[in-house]
């Protein structure tokens, strides 16, 4: 289905959507490697993409997929957090993907949750410069929060032009995000870091293609508002309406229920 926010593919279930996402990632790696010798992926964390990574690992183990000429940049990281903290997105990526594949460790970039606060802005600006120096992101994988966040770009009152230009930065988590993250922190909202480092909207929207996944009834409202609602900073995923030609949504029937 063509929509104001891109092409929406409604799948029978999350497993089918994740298989299709893995197909897209594998072909993006193959085609950009053929074009320019390497591929740059923007990776997401959260419960949604776990089966995508499992599928990519299976393809690698079957000898069908190599990450040898791949560079990755992760969307976000809690702040502050140590990389060895099991709840860090560093730990997530090593657990679900990096330790299982041939991605050169020096090309797997994740924002550093240990950076001293006085240097956070410089660290984030450097992350944007590294991405640019690597030729930009070929394919950005995204999830969507119940509040419509992408990465940790949370709902805000910013005017649209500013909301579209946000760089990678240190940001404050929305109460809905903290509530949803609590399940990973022993069910305790108090244990969830209040801030995070996130790729900015400008960086995300500059990717050459964007694959966004959403599963389950609790995402249906955010998906419908992102796809057909007004383009607004109140619902950051609606900003994808700025670049619909680059965006593919892979969602299950439950997440499509309000479309
Ligand atoms: P989830 O998070 O995959 O854990 O639902 C998605 C997101 O918040 O982007």
């Amino acid at each position: 289905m063509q929509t104001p926010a891109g092409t929406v593919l409604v799948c029978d279930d999350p497993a089918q959507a994740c298989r299709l996402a893995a197909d897209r990632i594998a072909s993006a790696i193959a085609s950009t490697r053929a074009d320019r010798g390497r591929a740059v992926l923007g990776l997401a964390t959260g419960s949604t993409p776990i089966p995508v990574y499992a599928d990519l690992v299976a393809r690698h183990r079957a000898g069908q997929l190599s990450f040898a000429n791949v560079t990755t940049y992760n969307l976000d990281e809690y702040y502050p957090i140590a990389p060895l903290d099991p709840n860090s997105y560093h730990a997530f990526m090593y657990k679900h993907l990096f330790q299982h594949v041939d991605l050169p460790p020096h090309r797997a970039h994740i924002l550093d949750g240990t950076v001293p606060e006085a240097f956070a802005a410089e660290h984030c600006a450097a992350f944007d410069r590294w991405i640019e120096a690597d030729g930009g992101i070929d394919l950005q994988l995204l999830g969507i929060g119940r509040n419509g966040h992408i990465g940790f770009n949370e709902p805000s009152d910013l005017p649209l032009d500013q909301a579209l230009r946000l760089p990678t930065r240190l940001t404050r988590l929305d109460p809905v995000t903290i509530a949803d993250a609590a399940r990973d922190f022993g069910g305790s909202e108090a244990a969830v870091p209040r801030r995070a480092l996130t790729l900015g909207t400008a960086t995300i929207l500059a990717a050459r293609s964007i694959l966004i996944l959403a599963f389950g009834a609790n995402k249906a409202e955010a998906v419908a508002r992102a796809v057909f609602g007004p383009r607004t900073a109140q619902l950051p995923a609606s900003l994808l309406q700025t670049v619909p030609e680059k965006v593919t949504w892979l969602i299950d029937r439950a997440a499509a229920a309000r479309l």
Side-chain angles (χ1 to χ4, degrees), residues 45-49 143-145 149 183 219:
T45 48
S47 56
T48 305
I144 179 172
H149 75 192
R183 65 167 185 241
K219 299 288 175 72

Side-chain angles (χ1 to χ4, degrees), residues 28-29 32-33 36 38-42 71 134-140 206-210:
I29 291 173
T32 50
R33 197 155 42 198
R36 61 185 187 112
R38 64 211 179 86
V40 180
L41 302 179
T71 297
D134 265 329
I137 293 172
D138 294 302
L139 186 151
Q140 175 68 57
R208 279 186 273 283
S209 64
I210 297 172

